């Protein structure tokens, strides 16, 4: 008790270390949130929709004297103006500065994806949540495919890119609009897989990531007349998209290397993300041509969905036989063994399997009598 009293006497009324640390943490988070909000404004918003301080900061001409009416420092009319200097008065904004939102959705979905991957592993998530070509009737898989990933690099690559692209969108357009774009892109990518790659299993959130990427393109187009440096923005965005398409095409067609990348998922996510973004993102100054474009995008989106559903329903012979049971693991093993059996003798997948004793034993019995041994 005496020790406690002596410490109190020495410390006076100074805050406890825990409270002091918490206060510092809150201040650190607040300061960095403001910086991130400023970055989001620069990347997403037109100049006239940014906060008044951000508008003032865009004027760098030393021959221009900026007077902010918001600070009420308007000079007297009799105050002489230095020769060669122009006085620019920035009027008060007619509306309050655009509210910025904390990116709770993108952070939450990223943490869920990482948590599931490290807790359950890639195989379990594939069987439960991934796209299953034998079970197209399990509709939840068109959404939960984003929760399953094939490797550590796969999950971290998607998480980092969706945070980089999605956080800025969410801070300006709020979590509801961002989540609609992200989820719709995932579904669009899954649906296109059923048409372009109907016999493969699929995992990953890449369709959602591509949807977020093309949402940035939609933002520039929707607010074209209000955007500053729009040509520069558009150039760099299209340059990255073109580079991504070129490198994937070169690997596939130039080097003749088969990868497990789902190009169908990427294309479906990009197309869906672009069309949905035109419909749901904030259009700060609506114009007649933008309204017409939104109607066209709505029609294209509806047509995309209807055509894919009709293909799935009308051409059952195009797809693998439907499995109405829950023997996910057995179906998957048969699928892999069938693919190895049908591959050429000198193929890499065949050589890898034959080099592994367990895989070779299973493959030999499967080829011999179509059964899988209990190992």
């Amino acid at each position: 008790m005496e020790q406690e009293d002596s410490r109190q006497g020495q410390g006076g009324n100074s805050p406890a270390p825990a409270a002091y640390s918490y206060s510092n943490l809150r201040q650190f988070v607040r300061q960095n949130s403001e910086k991130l909000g400023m970055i989001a404004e620069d990347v997403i918003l037109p100049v006239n929709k940014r906060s008044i301080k951000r508008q003032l900061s865009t004027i760098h001409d030393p021959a221009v004297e900026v007077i902010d009416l918001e600070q009420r420092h308007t000079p007297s009319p009799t105050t002489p103006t230095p020769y060669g200097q122009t006085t620019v008065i920035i009027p008060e904004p007619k509306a309050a500065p655009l509210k910025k939102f904390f990116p709770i959705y993108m952070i939450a979905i990223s943490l869920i994806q990482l948590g599931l991957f490290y807790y359950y592993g890639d195989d379990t998530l594939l069987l439960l949540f991934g796209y299953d070509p034998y079970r197209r009737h399990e509709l939840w898989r068109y959404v939960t495919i984003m929760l399953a990933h094939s490797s550590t690099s796969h999950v971290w690559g998607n998480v980092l890119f969706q945070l980089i692209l999605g956080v800025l969108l969410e801070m300006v357009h709020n979590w509801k609009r961002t989540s609609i774009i992200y989820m719709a892109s995932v579904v669009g990518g899954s649906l296109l897989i059923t048409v372009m790659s109907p016999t493969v299993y699929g995992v990953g959130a890449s369709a959602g990531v591509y949807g977020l990427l093309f949402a940035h393109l939609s933002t520039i187009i929707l607010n074209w007349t209000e955007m500053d440096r729009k040509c520069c923005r558009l150039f760099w965005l299209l340059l990255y998209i073109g580079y991504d398409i070129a490198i994937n095409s070169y690997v596939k067609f130039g080097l003749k290397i088969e990868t497990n990348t789902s190009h169908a998922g990427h294309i479906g996510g990009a197309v869906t993300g672009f069309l949905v973004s035109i419909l749901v993102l904030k259009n700060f100054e609506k114009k007649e041509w933008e309204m017409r474009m939104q109607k066209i995008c709505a029609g294209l989106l509806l047509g995309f969905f209807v055509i894919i559903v009709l293909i799935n329903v009308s051409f059952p012979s195009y797809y693998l036989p439907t499995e109405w049971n829950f023997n996910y693991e057995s179906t998957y093993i048969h699928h892999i063994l069938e693919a190895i059996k049908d591959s050429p003798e000198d193929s890499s997948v065949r050589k890898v399997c034959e080099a592994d004793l367990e895989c070779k034993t299973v493959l030999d019995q499967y080829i011999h009598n179509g059964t899988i041994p209990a190992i």
Side-chain angles (χ1 to χ4, degrees):
M1 190 68 182
E2 293 177 357
Q3 293 178 351
E4 293 179 0
D5 291 340
S6 64
R7 287 196 299 269
Q8 290 175 2
Q10 293 174 0
N13 295 324
S14 61
Y20 182 74
S21 300
Y22 178 70
S23 175
N24 281 354
L25 178 62
R26 289 186 59 187
Q27 183 178 3
F28 175 79
V29 171
R30 187 183 304 111
Q31 290 175 348
N32 285 274
S33 297
E34 291 175 357
K35 292 179 181 178
L36 189 59
M38 292 165 61
I39 295 174
E41 283 189 356
D42 285 341
V43 173
I44 306 296
L45 291 178
V47 175
N48 61 345
K49 295 299 178 182
R50 299 171 193 167
S51 59
I52 188 68
K53 293 180 180 180
R54 300 300 295 158
Q55 294 182 38
L56 295 174
S57 67
T58 60
I59 301 178
H60 303 293
D61 191 346
V64 176
E65 177 188 4
V66 178
I67 302 174
D68 182 4
L69 290 184
E70 191 181 50
Q71 298 177 354
R72 300 294 192 270
H73 289 166
T74 308
S76 170
T78 60
T79 302
T81 301
Y83 178 77
Q85 187 180 64
T86 304
T87 300
V88 177
I89 300 179
I90 305 295
E92 296 185 47
K94 297 180 180 179
L98 193 69
K99 181 180 179 181
K100 293 185 283 291
F101 303 88
F102 185 76
I104 185 65
Y105 176 78
M106 294 311 308
I107 293 176
I109 201 68
S110 298
L111 290 176
I112 290 172
Q113 289 167 343
L114 290 172
L116 288 174
F117 178 81
Y118 283 104
Y119 187 80
Y120 289 105
D122 53 346
D123 290 336
T124 301
L125 294 177
L126 165 64
L127 298 178
L128 294 178
F129 297 143
Y131 170 73
D132 189 333
Y134 298 92
R135 295 176 175 85
R136 291 176 294 117
H137 57 280
E138 295 182 350
L139 300 181
W140 69 81
R141 294 180 179 273
Y142 296 100
V143 177
T144 59
I145 185 176
M146 69 181 185
L147 302 176
H149 290 82
S150 61
S151 65
T152 303
S153 60
H154 188 205
V155 66
W156 275 105
N158 280 339
V159 164
L160 291 176
F161 270 101
Q162 71 189 22
L163 285 175
I164 293 171
L165 296 169
V167 163
L168 300 179
L169 280 175
E170 187 175 348
M171 292 190 74
V172 172
H173 294 283
N174 76 41
W175 72 270
K176 294 180 181 178
R177 291 183 172 90
T178 307
S179 64
I180 290 173
I181 295 168
Y182 185 78
M183 299 293 284
S185 301
V186 170
V187 174
S190 302
L191 288 174
L192 198 60
I193 289 175
T194 66
V195 174
M196 294 181 64
S197 307
T199 61
V200 301
Y201 281 79
V203 293
S206 299
V209 174
Y210 273 80
L212 294 174
L213 175 63
F214 276 74
H216 284 267
L217 179 61
S218 299
T219 299
I220 297 174
I221 294 175
L222 270 179
N223 302 285
W224 180 257
T225 56
E226 300 88 37
M227 277 287 183
D228 63 319
R229 305 187 301 275
K230 49 198 163 191
C231 292
C232 181
R233 294 168 184 264
L234 188 62
F235 170 77
W236 286 110
L237 185 59
L238 293 178
L239 181 65
Y240 174 78
I241 294 172
Y243 167 79
D244 186 72
I245 294 173
I247 197 68
N248 281 285
S249 301
Y250 176 69
V251 170
K252 184 176 179 63
F253 302 108
L255 300 179
K256 306 294 183 182
I257 297 176
E258 289 296 330
T259 65
N260 59 356
T261 302
S262 176
H263 300 291
H266 293 178
I267 296 171
V271 172
T272 306
F274 176 79
L275 296 177
V276 172
S277 299
I278 293 291
L279 300 177
V280 303
L281 288 181
K282 294 177 183 176
N283 186 1
F284 297 104
E285 294 184 17
K286 295 183 179 180
K287 297 178 175 57
E288 185 177 351
W289 71 268
E290 294 171 342
M291 302 294 288
R292 289 198 301 267
M293 180 179 62
Q294 288 180 322
K295 293 178 180 178
I296 293 172
C297 288
L300 292 174
L301 187 65
L302 179 62
F304 175 78
F305 177 78
V306 170
I307 290 172
I308 290 181
V309 171
L310 287 176
I311 292 174
N312 275 263
V313 173
S314 304
F315 301 97
S317 60
Y318 180 63
Y319 298 96
L320 297 175
T322 301
E323 296 281 352
W324 296 96
N325 54 59
F326 298 102
N327 300 324
Y328 301 141
E329 186 175 5
S330 176
T331 304
Y332 181 65
I333 293 175
H334 277 86
H335 179 82
I336 296 298
L337 291 175
E338 195 67 30
I340 297 175
K341 185 184 72 172
D342 294 340
S343 62
E345 292 287 342
D346 59 345
S347 65
S348 58
V349 65
R350 190 69 173 262
K351 291 179 179 178
V352 169
C353 182
E354 291 181 348
D356 184 271
L357 180 60
E358 182 178 337
C359 182
K360 187 176 185 305
T361 302
V362 174
L363 179 62
D364 289 342
Q365 180 168 326
Y366 184 76
I367 294 175
H368 179 67
N369 56 19
T371 63
I372 302 173
I375 298 178

